Amino acid sequence: MTETAITGQTTGPADDDSHPHPLRAAALVFGEGEGAGDLLEAFARRLMAQGVRVGGLVQRTEKTCGMRFLVDLESGARFPISQDLGKGSESCTIDVEGMAEATAVLRRALDDPPELLIVNKFGRLECEGEGLAAEALEAMAGGLAVLTTVDRKYLEAFEAVTGGLVARLAVDADALERWWRSPGSPDRRGK
């Protein structure tokens, strides 16, 4: 796969405007230090300021202690998703209780769909069918507009889980805007 500056998407059989993706979903494909989460939240907040109903979860990390939280875009509620296991621990730091509580935000969106649902990341847990996978995949299959991020190291697993039916975007504000406004995209108000 190659990135293209023209579309901002990773090329593939269904990644051009003449062949819209069957799902109304996209993933920012990122590598180390690319800031996909920050771009995802900024895009969501900008759409919200324009009156678009955006729901879902973004991730934030406390700079002072390194604790990670999922934040509900609509209510501002914070769900801790990491736990301090002490120095030298090599165990998984995911707080499964906090993650489970955060899934309620996505389940609520399935019942009362926003115009765009943000799922902060499709990571290792989601590739293994855990974390936010069930709710994210149900939203995609149900036709909701879903935007997420995926690390390049998990792209193959993500493609397998989604059947390659999700648009792959570069970590670029223009790529996000093109996806949002393109034919077959979630935003039909501007057409």
Side-chain angles (χ1 to χ4, degrees):
M1 285 180 240
T2 59
E3 301 276 335
T4 172
I6 297 170
T7 65
Q9 296 180 309
T10 306
T11 59
D15 278 340
D16 63 52
D17 289 344
S18 64
H19 298 93
H21 287 272
L23 298 179
R24 295 175 4 150
L28 293 170
V29 180
F30 68 94
E32 181 109 13
E34 284 193 87
D38 293 338
L39 179 60
L40 185 70
E41 183 171 3
F43 181 72
R45 299 281 180 205
R46 187 173 56 72
L47 290 180
M48 293 169 82
Q50 295 172 5
V52 176
R53 184 162 170 249
V54 179
L57 298 162
V58 294
Q59 182 175 308
R60 293 205 189 124
T61 302
E62 290 290 331
K63 295 192 187 320
T64 56
C65 63
M67 293 293 290
R68 292 172 294 154
F69 297 87
L70 290 178
V71 179
D72 181 342
L73 283 164
E74 291 181 294
S75 73
R78 293 168 31 129
F79 305 92
I81 60 165
S82 63
Q83 52 187 337
D84 183 2
L85 299 178
K87 290 186 178 190
S89 175
E90 294 183 20
S91 297
C92 180
T93 62
I94 295 294
D95 180 340
V96 292
E97 184 177 326
M99 184 70 77
E101 290 173 5
T103 64
V105 173
L106 301 183
R107 287 193 307 275
R108 186 177 67 234
L110 293 170
D111 292 333
D112 185 17
E115 293 174 76
L116 177 62
L117 179 64
I118 302 290
V119 179
N120 78 299
K121 180 171 35 177
F122 204 95
R124 182 185 55 80
L125 285 177
E126 287 75 20
C127 288
E128 294 172 355
E130 299 176 16
L132 306 173
E135 293 79 10
L137 294 171
E138 185 176 343
M140 289 178 197
L144 274 69
V146 178
L147 182 59
T148 190
T149 67
V150 64
D151 190 312
R152 279 186 184 87
K153 66 184 173 187
Y154 299 123
L155 185 57
E156 187 175 327
F158 175 75
E159 292 284 315
V161 169
T162 61
L165 300 175
V166 174
R168 299 171 309 274
L169 305 178
V171 180
D172 176 78
D174 291 336
L176 274 173
E177 191 63 35
R178 281 191 301 275
W179 169 74
W180 181 248
R181 305 258 182 240
S182 68
S185 75
D187 182 25
R188 305 309 301 155
R189 291 171 300 160
K191 303 290 178 199

